[in-house]
Amino acid sequence: LKETATTGSGTAVNGSTRPLNLDFSKGKYSLIDLTHSGRIETYDAKNTTTTYSLMTNKTKYFTSQTQRAGVDAHYNADLVYDYYKNKFNRNSYDNLGAPIYSIVHYGVNYNNAFWSGEVMVYGDGDGSTFTTLSGANDVVAHELTHAVTDYTAGLIYENQSGALSESFSDVFGYFVDPGDFLIGEDIYTPGITGDGLRSLSNPEQYNQPAHMNQYRYLSNTEAGDYGGVHSNSGIPNKAFYNTVTQLGNSKSEQIYYRALTLYLTPQATFTDARAALVQSATDLYGAADAQIVASAWDQVGVY
Ligand SMILES: O=C(NO)[C@]12CC[C@H](CC1)C2
Ligand SMILES: [Ca+2]
Ligand SMILES: [Zn+2]
C-alpha cells in the first residue's frame, strides 16, 4: 500500500511537545519520516532485546507515556540528519541517503545507548543513573556520529583511535546541542540538576583526564573499556574546548568535519588528530587559525 507523508506531534521524554514527520497508511500513523532521502523509522522493543515493531498510533498525536521514548528518538534523529545535511551537505551517515533505524525501550533498566553498526538502540535507563536515553539530542548526535565515523575515518574503537572516536562523537554532540559543554545532561541523573555524564570544558569534573600526563593505560578489553576510550577522550575533548572557545562554532565544526572525513585514518593517534585538525584549519581558514588549533593541543600535551 502507498505511504503518505504527513505531520503530527508527540510528547517528549521531558514532557514538551515535538513536531513529528509521520507516515499515514492502512488507517494508522507510524514513526516513519519520509521528508528526506535518509528515511527515518523508529521501532519499539517493548523491553525485550530480541524483538521490535514499528511504533504506530491511531491518531497523529503520539502522547502516551510509553511513546515518549520513540517520539524523541524519531525527532532527535531528524534533528541530527538535518544538522549534517545543512552544515556539510551530508546525506545521512553514509552520505548516500542510508535509512536511519532506531529502536527504543531496549532491555530493562538499560543504562546505555549504542550504534549497532546498522541501527540506533536506546535503553530506558534505571530512572536513577539515566532516564530514557533518546531524550538527549547530544546523545543521539553522539551515537549517529559513530555511524558517520564508521563510514569515514573508520577509527578503530580501542586505545587512542577509540578515544578519538569517542571525542568526535562528543564534539558533534556539542555542535547539535551548543548551549552547554556537558554531554547527556538532559537524561543523566534525573534526580540531580546541572550535572552531566561528561564535560568538554572540564573533563576532570567527571573523572576524565584533561592532559596527556594523565593518560590512562587501561587494558584493551571490555573491562578496560578498550584501553579507556571513554576516559582518555577527555584529552581531545579539552583540546576541542580550547579550540571552539577561540574560533567559535561555525569555523570549528567545519574544521572537525573536514578532519574526520578527509584526513583521519583507522589507526589515528592523538598526534595524528592534531595534525589533521591543523591541516583542516589551514585548508579552510589559513595559518592564524591553524596556529590556534596547534596551541589548543599544546595545552593538553599533544604535539
Ligand atoms: O559514551 C557513550 N557511548 O559511547 C554513551 C554512554 C551513555 C550515553 C549513551 C552512550 C553516552
Ligand atoms: Ca549537552
Ligand atoms: Zn560513544
Side-chain angles (χ1 to χ4, degrees), residues 205-276:
Q205 187 175 1
Y206 299 106
N207 186 32
Q208 285 191 293
H211 192 284
M212 262 325 266
N213 60 28
Q214 302 162 338
Y215 191 93
R216 309 247 176 96
Y217 293 94
L218 301 175
S219 117
N220 181 14
T221 59
E222 186 178 9
D225 193 28
Y226 305 104
V229 299
H230 289 97
S231 31
N232 292 311
S233 57
I235 296 162
N237 280 0
K238 181 72 180 198
F240 164 71
Y241 176 73
N242 296 340
T243 301
V244 74
T245 48
Q246 295 295 309
L247 294 183
N249 291 352
S250 296
K251 282 184 169 179
S252 301
E253 66 194 347
Q254 295 299 328
I255 290 166
Y256 270 76
Y257 183 77
R258 185 176 181 85
L260 183 65
T261 56
L262 196 59
Y263 292 120
L264 285 174
T265 57
Q267 322 251 16
T269 64
F270 287 1
T271 294
D272 295 330
R274 173 200 164 116

Side-chain angles (χ1 to χ4, degrees), residues 137-138 173-174 177 180-186:
N137 56 0
D138 55 8
Y174 165 81
D177 174 43
D180 59 79
F181 285 107
L182 293 174
I183 297 295
E185 72 283 349
D186 293 338

